[in-house]
């Protein structure tokens, strides 16, 4: 028998028969996109579920990031970290903004607030941190610095869904937060994304920007892009919302299983839950200390791969190590020692709601014997 491939993630698909009635409505109405009824309903339902005031749906997270920067008219230099998915920094590049990289914290892998101030120059207009693996950034310290220097804060919240700090959504911090609903994420609309904002005027500007700049049939106020979510995506989002609590519950169970089985292995580290935070368990990264474990991260990665188990090295390489960005002053090797170490240690293990607990045992047994 051919061995099953186990990937780092697998999208959750609700029963097909539950999706058909949504498609029937779309076929009946002939409304396929342009802010149709499912789009409107999903914006409202997501505001309620996430506990936020305003949300604008997008065709994907990357266009939402690009548009978020335009919505706040960000220019010049923006402070960010290299420990993220490439789209975070690419969004700056698409806006002709210079990325300035700073190092991350060793325990949360988020931007280190202590390193932000020394990276600020007269050209700095904003901070673009990411809630890595869904762990909230130190939002209070970041706000203090942003307020002191008159900087905007846009969070890349693409790893979060339903994450709260003391019951308050992490999306309520910063000027804007950007989400992704890509197939590989905790909550998916095939492809999709969103911007969360806190006032109606900003929501209007974002909605104009994602629809070519149109405010009505004949008036175009700004050179906007086409980044609208269509009705099939929005219908998928509405159906997924019915399952999301159960899905996050399963992710938590899987995460706890991994933690139990890996806790006594010398040289393998992993994250614990943070007090007062409701997590969404979007990834299960482990960090290999090669001196203590006796093998490098890449040896471990290849070792499980030959058993048809595909981890992913999120995030390796660092964004600052890519040809496009490595020439920047802030990207110089040695300038971000924590990120440079972590990127050589990390593997994200398979984590998705349907993942069999027996497979987790198997993965952990391989890691034990290595
Ligand atoms: C997935 C992701 C994005 C991009 O979102 P898409 O919907 O795939 O365009 C951006 N930033 C981070 C951190 C992500 O994980």
């Amino acid at each position: 028998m051919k061995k099953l491939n186990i990937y780092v993630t697998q999208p959750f698909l609700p029963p097909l028969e539950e999706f058909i009635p949504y498609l029937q409505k779309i076929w009946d109405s002939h409304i396929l996109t342009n802010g149709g009824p499912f789009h409107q309903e999903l914006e409202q339902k997501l505001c309620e579920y996430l506990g936020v005031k305003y949300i604008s749906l997008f065709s994907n997270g990357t266009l939402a990031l690009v548009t978020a920067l335009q919505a706040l008219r960000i220019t010049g230099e923006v402070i960010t970290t290299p420990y993220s998915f490439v789209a975070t920094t690419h969004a700056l590049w698409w806006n002709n903004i210079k990325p300035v990289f700073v190092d991350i914290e060793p325990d949360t892998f988020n931007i280190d607030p202590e390193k932000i101030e020394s990276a600020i120059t007269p050209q700095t207009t904003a901070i673009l941190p990411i809630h890595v693996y869904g762990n909230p950034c130190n939002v209070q310290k970041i706000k203090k610095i942003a307020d002191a220097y008159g900087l905007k804060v846009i969070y890349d919240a693409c790893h979060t869904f339903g994450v709260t700090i003391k019951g308050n959504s992490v999306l309520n911090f910063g000027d804007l937060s950007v989400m992704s609903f890509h197939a590989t994420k905790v909550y998916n609309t095939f492809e999709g994304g969103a911007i969360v904002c806190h006032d109606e005027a900003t929501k209007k500007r974002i909605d104009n920007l994602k629809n070519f700049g149109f405010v009505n049939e004949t008036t175009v106020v700004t050179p906007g892009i086409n980044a609208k979510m269509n009705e099939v995506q929005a219908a998928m989002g509405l159906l997924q919302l019915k399952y999301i609590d159960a899905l996050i519950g399963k992710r938590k169970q899987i995460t706890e299983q991994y933690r139990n089985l890996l806790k006594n292995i010398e040289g393998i580290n992993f994250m614990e839950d943070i007090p007062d935070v409701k997590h969404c368990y979007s990834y299960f990264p482990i960090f290999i200390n090669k001196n203590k474990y006796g093998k490098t991260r890449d040896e471990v990665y290849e070792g499980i791969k030959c058993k048809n188990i595909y981890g992913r090295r999120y995030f390796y390489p660092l964004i600052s190590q890519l040809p496009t960005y490595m020439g920047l002053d802030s990207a110089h090797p040695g300038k971000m020692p924590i990120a440079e170490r972590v990127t050589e240690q990390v593997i994200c293990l398979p984590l998705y709601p349907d993942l069999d607990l027996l497979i987790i045992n198997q993965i952990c047994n391989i890691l034990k014997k290595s």
Side-chain angles (χ1 to χ4, degrees), residues 60-62 65 84-85 87-88 130 156 158-159 180-182 185 191-192 283:
N60 62 62
T62 303
L65 275 169
S84 183
F85 183 59
T88 314
I130 157 184
D156 181 331
C158 291
H159 285 186
S180 168
F181 308 144
H182 183 261
K185 305 285 157 74
E191 295 246 16
Y283 297 90

Side-chain angles (χ1 to χ4, degrees), residues 265-294:
I265 305 183
E266 176 90 352
I268 293 186
N269 292 310
F270 50 81
M271 305 179 308
E272 296 289 349
D273 284 2
I274 301 166
D276 295 328
V277 171
K278 181 172 173 279
H279 292 271
C280 67
Y281 307 98
S282 43
Y283 297 90
F284 189 76
I286 59 170
F287 304 90
I288 309 288
N289 179 327
K290 65 170 188 270
N291 296 327
K292 287 191 184 157
Y293 187 70

Side-chain angles (χ1 to χ4, degrees), residues 33-35 57-59 63 67 70 204-229:
T33 185
N34 284 13
L57 296 173
F58 275 74
S59 50
L63 282 169
T67 306
Q70 297 200 352
K204 272 215 177 99
R205 174 159 169 81
I206 292 166
D207 286 345
N208 293 340
L209 278 166
K210 77 174 186 191
N211 187 30
F212 311 97
F214 279 111
V215 289
N216 61 38
E217 207 179 312
T218 50
T219 315
V220 177
V221 289
T222 181
I225 194 87
N226 178 7
K228 303 184 300 290
M229 178 180 276

Side-chain angles (χ1 to χ4, degrees), residues 99-113:
V100 176
F101 297 113
V102 305
D103 209 357
I104 55 173
E105 297 177 322
D107 46 350
T108 66
F109 316 103
N110 292 330
I111 194 165
D112 185 341

